[in-house]
Amino acid sequence: MSDQGTPNAAGRTAGESRVSAKPTPKGAWTITFLLFLFMVVNFADKIVVGLAGVPIMTDLKLSPEQFGLLGSSFFFLFSIAAIVVGFIVNKVPTRWVLLALAVIWALAQFPMVGTVSFTTLLICRIVLGAGEGPAFSVAAHAIYKWFPDEKRTLPTAILSQGSAFGVILAVPALNWIIVNHSWHYAFGALGIVGLLWVCAWLALGREGPLEDTQVLAETEQKIPYLQLLTSRTFIGCVAATFGAYWALSLGLTWFTPFIVKGLGFSQSQAGWISILPWVFGATIVILTGWISQVMMARGYNTRVARGVLGSVPLAIGGLILAMMPHVQGAGLQIALLVVGSGLCGAIYVVCPPMLGEFTPTSQRGAILAIYGALYTLAGIIAPAVMGATIQRAGSTLDGYMTGFTINAVIMVGSGLLGLLLLWPNTEKARLRRGVAAQAAALKGAVSPT
């Protein structure tokens, strides 16, 4: 199946085993750390509604369906904003785009500090979602200007870990504010943290020196967007990450309410339990990034070192999650939920670098953004489906279990689609041949006879 030489039994090719590493520019890891913090703030903003779910539902007298709508509302403009900004960063420096996004996040939090209606909360979450929609794709595009292709998996893993650490660091602090003061002040604290990141980025943020997107836009040979978007690896990345994001969006919105209302823990206990999936997920993501780069350094092709490595844990996680309704005891159910949903994090590490393999640099921002816009549609659907399922179930716990079973089926299916479709190394060769053939045909058409 490979177009880059004949692979051996270990998934290596002769060409790929002789990749020469390019140097990493000075300051690359400083930027990586700042963008890691960017994603920490991003996911702290996301988790606060789920963490404060029970107090919000109690104060605003919301039904499960209404709370599910609140969770979904964050994603109403998420995808649209991601696509629009993705095309913008093809031409505009990422430094200023990232700054603008962080300012929007901070300002969207402050209206919740005072008395707030359900409508106001809904609108603020929609605005916040519009600001956060492009976050990961723009941050990944920015990091790739600092690292050559063969060194991108580990920085991508670190960037992805902003999500886990955003929850791990934010949950105890925010839950303390919620329990001892009010859920309103938790939103205000996040607004202040967002403004602190803005100040740090203004002082230290820079554009990567390896790629000048504006120059490349004028000189680089492009591939038609239709070919990029219909490539099997692009479709496979969207399908696989859709299943992972279904689990993630349920974790953001419904995990803490499940612990409190489904299993009977207190809000204080639930705050600490809510950290567990993210701690486990962080371990999986860092291991995936490290293993992937080690495999590539040893000559494995990216079909194996990225595609297979990301898809298999996703399918296994779904199978583990499917066991939840069939076991007894809150501890065991939590353990299955933590491990099952945590394993899906591997796919976030490998898909952006796979897309970056075959996408021209001047088009990469848009492709990463469209990819993000499509898979995060799961964020609109999953919380609403869970809310409707709980409301129509015979008991609250039965509703949760049915919702997690739906999640399990989607994870297994998306993992299998990833295994079937993710072939970035052959995609790169095929698309390059197509561009070369088109260039040759055009040259022949204009040559004098």
Side-chain angles (χ1 to χ4, degrees):
M1 294 293 289
S2 175
D3 295 317
Q4 293 183 316
T6 303
N8 61 25
R12 302 181 180 92
T13 65
E16 287 174 324
S17 63
R18 294 191 297 271
V19 174
S20 58
K22 297 177 184 177
T24 301
K26 184 179 180 180
W29 290 107
T30 300
I31 296 298
T32 302
F33 178 67
L34 285 171
L35 292 177
F36 163 80
L37 294 178
F38 178 76
M39 294 306 299
V40 167
V41 177
N42 179 284
F43 268 78
D45 289 346
K46 283 186 176 77
I47 193 68
V48 65
V49 162
L51 186 63
V54 174
I56 289 173
M57 283 190 276
T58 301
D59 288 358
L60 301 182
K61 298 179 173 57
L62 304 183
S63 67
E65 262 188 327
Q66 286 177 306
F67 186 70
L69 173 63
L70 182 63
S72 296
S73 68
F74 179 84
F75 296 96
F76 286 173
L77 296 179
F78 197 92
S79 297
I80 295 171
I83 293 173
V84 171
V85 175
F87 279 95
I88 289 173
V89 295
N90 280 349
K91 299 183 181 297
V92 177
T94 53
R95 181 190 182 194
W96 303 115
V97 176
L98 290 164
L99 184 71
L101 294 177
V103 169
I104 292 171
W105 305 354
L107 296 181
Q109 304 292 359
F110 291 119
M112 268 75 77
V113 174
T115 303
V116 63
S117 67
F118 175 66
T119 302
T120 302
L121 183 54
L122 196 72
I123 291 171
C124 287
R125 293 301 287 180
I126 292 172
V127 171
L128 180 65
E132 296 201 351
F136 183 77
S137 59
V138 175
H141 185 52
I143 275 186
Y144 293 172
K145 296 181 180 184
W146 288 90
F147 294 89
D149 178 60
E150 66 273 8
K151 295 182 178 180
R152 287 174 180 168
T153 311
L154 187 56
T156 304
I158 292 171
L159 182 66
S160 299
Q161 274 327 280
S163 61
F165 280 88
V167 176
I168 293 167
L169 297 174
V171 164
L174 293 175
N175 202 54
W176 183 87
I177 295 172
I178 291 166
V179 171
N180 293 283
H181 298 282
S182 166
W183 61 269
H184 297 275
Y185 293 126
F187 285 90
L190 289 173
I192 293 170
V193 170
L195 291 179
L196 290 174
W197 187 89
V198 166
C199 294
W201 185 250
L202 273 172
L204 301 172
R206 291 187 291 131
E207 203 72 8
L210 293 184
E211 302 168 352
D212 188 328
T213 305
Q214 291 170 294
V215 172
L216 288 169
E218 298 173 1
T219 60
E220 190 177 40
Q221 197 168 29
K222 295 181 176 60
I223 299 173
Y225 276 103
L226 183 61
Q227 290 185 27
L228 293 169
L229 296 175
T230 55
S231 66
R232 63 181 174 181
T233 298
F234 181 85
I235 294 169
C237 278
V238 170
T241 319
F242 181 92
Y245 209 79
W246 189 287
L248 185 145
S249 58
L250 288 185
L252 290 171
T253 307
W254 283 108
F255 187 90
T256 304
F258 166 65
I259 298 300
V260 175
K261 290 197 167 185
L263 299 181
F265 289 88
S266 69
Q267 178 70 33
S268 296
Q269 292 170 322
W272 290 106
I273 295 170
S274 296
I275 298 174
L276 297 178
W278 304 93
V279 173
F280 181 75
T283 305
I284 292 297
V285 169
I286 292 295
L287 277 175
T288 302
W290 177 73
I291 292 169
S292 177
Q293 289 205 179
V294 168
M295 291 176 72
M296 290 183 67
R298 293 181 178 178
Y300 286 84
N301 62 35
T302 50
R303 156 67 180 168
V304 177
R306 287 174 175 170
V308 174
L309 186 65
S311 300
V312 170
L314 181 58
I316 293 174
L319 293 174
I320 291 172
L321 206 60
M323 297 168 60
M324 276 184 67
H326 308 291
V327 300
Q328 299 297 319
L332 184 54
Q333 288 174 339
I334 291 171
L336 292 174
L337 181 57
V338 167
V339 175
S341 57
L343 283 171
C344 69
I347 200 69
Y348 298 113
V349 182
V350 297
C351 274
M354 280 193 285
L355 296 176
E357 281 184 57
F358 59 82
T359 303
T361 302
S362 60
Q363 296 173 273
R364 189 178 61 214
I367 290 298
L368 288 174
I370 294 169
Y371 153 69
L374 292 174
Y375 79 70
T376 54
L377 290 174
I380 298 177
I381 304 168
V385 168
M386 179 66 92
T389 302
I390 294 167
Q391 189 145 329
R392 287 162 175 72
S395 71
T396 300
L397 185 59
D398 287 344
Y400 278 111
M401 291 304 168
T402 302
F404 288 128
T405 301
I406 294 169
N407 185 14
V409 171
I410 290 170
M411 283 175 61
V412 172
S414 62
L416 293 177
L417 283 172
L419 277 175
L420 179 67
L421 296 173
L422 296 177
W423 292 83
N425 49 333
T426 60
E427 206 82 75
K428 179 178 180 179
R430 181 182 67 80
L431 289 169
R432 284 184 173 178
R433 283 200 308 267
V435 170
Q438 289 174 0
L442 181 62
K443 184 178 180 180
V446 300
S447 295
T449 56

